[in-house]
Amino acid sequence: MIRPVQTAHNTQNSAFPRMTTQTSDAPAIALRGVSKSFRTPDGQQVGVQPTHLDVAPGEIHGIIGFSGAGKSTLLRIANLLERPDAGQVIVHGQDLMTLSPAALRTARQRIGMIFQHFNLLHNRTVADNVAFPLRIAGADEARIAERVKTCLEFVGLSEKAGVYPAQLSGGQKQRVAIARALAPEPHVLLADEPTSALDPRTTQSLLEVLADVNRRLGVTILLVSHEMGVIRRLCHRVSVMEAGQIVERLTIANGRIPPDSQLAQWLRDFGDAEGDEAGTDDTEAAPQHLLSEAAHG
Amino acid sequence: MADEIAVAEPTILDTFIELLPEIGKAAGETGLMMVICLTAAIIVGGALGILVFLTSQGQVLGRYRRFNLVANGFINVFRSFPFIILLVAVSPFTRHIVGTSIGPLAASVPLSLAAIFYFARLIEQTLRDVPRGVIEAAEAMGASPLQVVSQVLLVEARSGLILAVTITAVSFLSYSAVAGVVGGGGIGDLAIRYGYYRFQTDVMLITIVLLVILVQSIQFFGQWLARRVDKR
């Protein structure tokens, strides 16, 4: 018998109290000197240089950079989908690198993840998709039913419980993916280009869901995006990556990028990759509104 | 007029009725061989195919590269044998486990062997259709390799898996005719013995029509089921 999730939850909680119950300066995610190198078929060296990254409990931390900068690799290191060549990966005080495969699986149950292409199970209903991480953890059916209901309500898709993902729009699929990630009550949520496959309007409403996840549930979010708009509307802090390194770390106050930063310079030089916000000093109403909702503290 | 009809050559229907007990026996033998070789293929070949898939590069158990190489080579070697040679080559082994090297039960041994490796390769390729991202999502949620197989791969690829069983069933229905050379019997063997060797064209026709109906039914049912379970 596999331990039910509730038990795993409790044991983890006693060892690593959630930031809501105890204010602590310990980061929710700490990547210490992690590096990962790949060799592309044409012999080019890519990946992540030895890098440090601290994500404070309760914050939404963005990673931005051009394609191939290593931002997705860095994100995937945070739950060891990508095992770094060196360094420490500490999530809620636990160094994932030192865990046995079984212990790593238990730890991963508390680290939610969403993807650019949603990665839902197509032959399972929405409800079964949300139930999936709980079933894997051996939770009992009563708890599964309760969590599925709660999480689908949270993302506003209760009425879609019985349909298959093929019948949903892209935005709805990503909401299901968020509900699935939330089902085991994770401490942190890793988001890999969560809006890059969505249109701007769907992106907007999805960012509101993510802001809600952070604000109402206190979940720390580490998010990778190449869309400046997403970073500005959602993130409290941002790390800028280039050639496998974090070249700049910025705090985003009221959706503003500090004008003397390298990132601001890039935006002036290249504009936004998506072209929706070319400048750094505009004051759009919608993002401001969203950000004030999302602001923590 | 009536007299002429009475002394006429027996019609194909008469031949069919006359041959009915023989056909019944042959159908039973075919059924036995198919059940044995498909069961072996699904259980052993399925497991082998899944393992080869899991240990291929970039997959969940990709670190077991050596196993992958050996298993792949094994599958290729067995798939290289012309079936009739395999049939003869494994006859000492057959005698060892069945006690005899003739009859439908004996023929089931080489049939099963061939089906296992045939099915393993089919399964391995079918599983490649499951997007890597979906497997990765399950891993990120803490799924063990066994859970990845039972909860993700077999569920997401289920319509392809049903089609793989369908193709294997049709192929080995045909292979089972070759098993006649070791007295395996079966419908295909009936076609060869009566129809081909004895120049009884009507018998050959009957058996071939039976085989066509059988293949059509398997194919139709397989495709119907595959479509039904596919929600993608």
Side-chain angles (χ1 to χ4, degrees):
Chain A
M1 256 322 258
I2 306 166
R3 253 184 335 174
V5 149
Q6 195 60 52
T7 320
H9 179 175
N10 289 340
T11 46
Q12 276 208 345
N13 254 6
S14 55
F16 314 106
R18 289 184 79 155
M19 62 81 174
T20 43
T21 53
Q22 181 186 321
T23 319
S24 153
D25 291 338
I29 302 171
L31 306 181
R32 298 278 153 78
V34 295
S35 65
K36 175 87 187 178
S37 66
F38 300 102
R39 203 175 280 276
T40 56
D42 53 346
Q44 229 186 339
Q45 200 78 29
V46 292
V48 171
Q49 306 288 328
T51 299
H52 291 263
L53 178 68
D54 280 354
V55 181
E59 86 167 327
I60 304 182
H61 192 109
I63 304 174
I64 194 164
F66 296 111
S67 325
K71 50 193 195 302
S72 276
T73 305
L74 191 62
L75 181 82
R76 291 155 55 84
I77 283 175
N79 65 353
L80 293 199
L81 273 187
E82 214 72 76
R83 191 171 274 275
D85 302 332
Q88 287 178 302
V89 178
I90 300 160
V91 180
H92 274 267
Q94 202 175 20
D95 184 355
L96 302 185
M97 292 285 277
T98 63
L99 298 180
S100 68
L104 174 62
R105 289 198 288 268
T106 306
R108 276 175 171 173
Q109 285 164 11
R110 314 287 295 171
I111 307 172
M113 190 168 193
I114 58 174
F115 304 83
Q116 178 174 2
H117 298 295
F118 326 128
N119 293 344
L120 297 176
L121 295 148
H122 292 96
N123 279 336
R124 286 184 197 271
T125 61
V126 165
D128 282 339
N129 264 284
V130 178
F132 187 84
L134 300 171
R135 293 232 161 85
I136 276 178
D140 60 82
E141 286 301 317
R143 173 169 159 76
I144 290 174
E146 178 237 308
R147 286 303 297 163
V148 168
K149 189 167 174 288
T150 309
C151 293
L152 281 179
E153 256 165 35
F154 187 89
V155 298
L157 284 176
S158 299
E159 78 282 9
K160 298 287 186 188
V163 310
Y164 287 93
Q167 293 155 264
L168 301 177
S169 70
Q172 289 172 326
K173 283 179 192 166
Q174 196 61 292
R175 282 166 185 258
V176 174
I178 291 172
R180 178 173 73 172
L182 293 178
E185 298 184 88
H187 305 288
V188 301
L189 177 66
L190 309 177
D192 192 358
E193 301 272 7
T195 61
S196 299
L198 305 174
D199 65 59
R201 229 169 95 197
T202 314
T203 294
Q204 173 71 26
S205 73
L206 201 89
L207 292 182
E208 278 166 31
V209 175
L210 285 174
D212 249 10
V213 168
N214 175 254
R215 191 169 47 90
R216 282 170 51 196
L217 306 179
V219 175
T220 307
I221 299 179
L222 179 58
L223 170 142
V224 160
S225 182
H226 66 273
E227 294 168 287
M228 201 52 226
V230 169
I231 300 284
R232 287 174 9 138
R233 284 177 228 174
L234 196 62
C235 297
H236 308 131
R237 289 203 298 152
V238 59
S239 295
V240 184
M241 279 193 86
E242 192 182 17
Q245 280 179 304
I246 295 179
V247 294
E248 196 164 52
R249 296 160 204 266
L250 302 168
T251 299
I252 300 184
N254 300 320
R256 279 174 178 278
I257 311 290
D260 54 344
S261 64
Q262 160 119 55
L263 184 57
Q265 184 60 47
W266 277 357
L267 287 172
R268 282 190 292 270
D269 291 349
F270 304 109
D272 185 5
E274 295 303 293
D276 59 344
E277 286 152 73
T280 57
D281 51 4
D282 54 340
T283 46
E284 277 172 280
Q288 294 302 335
H289 162 74
L290 189 97
L291 201 95
S292 61
E293 258 186 17
H296 73 137
Chain B
M1 274 305 240
D3 282 348
E4 269 178 44
I5 290 170
V7 296
E9 287 275 297
T11 64
I12 199 154
L13 191 67
D14 297 327
T15 316
F16 179 70
I17 290 165
E18 196 182 308
L19 213 62
L20 215 49
E22 196 73 30
I23 290 173
K25 182 167 168 282
E29 289 161 347
T30 297
L32 180 70
M33 289 189 287
M34 294 295 287
V35 166
I36 292 175
C37 91
L38 282 182
T39 307
I42 291 169
I43 295 172
V44 185
L48 182 62
I50 289 168
L51 281 175
V52 171
F53 172 78
L54 288 179
T55 55
S56 61
Q57 207 174 4
Q59 289 298 342
V60 181
L61 299 177
R63 60 186 178 280
Y64 297 103
R65 196 169 151 65
R66 199 168 296 167
F67 173 89
N68 186 266
L69 286 173
V70 171
N72 250 318
F74 221 69
I75 292 174
N76 287 341
V77 165
F78 269 89
R79 302 227 322 116
S80 320
F81 274 88
F83 180 61
I84 194 153
I85 293 176
L86 185 74
L87 192 72
V88 177
V90 301
S91 69
F93 174 66
T94 305
R95 202 172 300 122
H96 186 74
I97 61 169
V98 188
T100 171
S101 56
I102 55 166
L105 217 53
S108 297
V109 174
L111 274 174
S112 297
L113 264 179
I116 283 168
F117 295 103
Y118 183 93
F119 192 69
R121 182 61 80 210
L122 268 181
I123 289 305
E124 185 236 348
Q125 285 173 2
T126 303
L127 294 180
R128 289 192 188 284
D129 288 341
V130 178
R132 182 72 184 102
V134 176
I135 300 169
E136 212 160 56
E139 284 188 271
M141 288 184 270
S144 65
L146 204 63
Q147 285 171 326
V148 167
V149 171
S150 65
Q151 311 282 309
V152 181
L153 291 176
L154 296 185
V155 176
E156 288 298 285
R158 63 190 180 192
S159 71
L161 297 175
I162 288 167
L163 291 177
V165 175
T166 307
I167 294 175
T168 307
V170 170
S171 296
F172 281 80
L173 184 61
S174 166
Y175 274 35
S176 72
V178 181
V181 300
V182 293
I187 302 173
D189 182 42
L190 193 68
I192 295 172
R193 275 188 297 130
Y194 284 72
Y196 189 66
Y197 291 148
R198 294 197 197 166
F199 299 104
Q200 285 182 287
T201 312
D202 49 354
V203 177
M204 192 159 71
L205 261 175
I206 290 167
T207 51
I208 285 171
V209 166
L210 276 179
L211 287 170
V212 168
I213 292 171
L214 213 52
V215 169
Q216 293 281 11
S217 318
I218 294 170
Q219 194 65 37
F220 179 84
F221 179 70
Q223 277 171 350
W224 171 81
L225 197 63
R227 235 193 337 264
R228 217 182 111 96
V229 300
D230 192 4
K231 309 291 184 189
R232 289 174 295 174

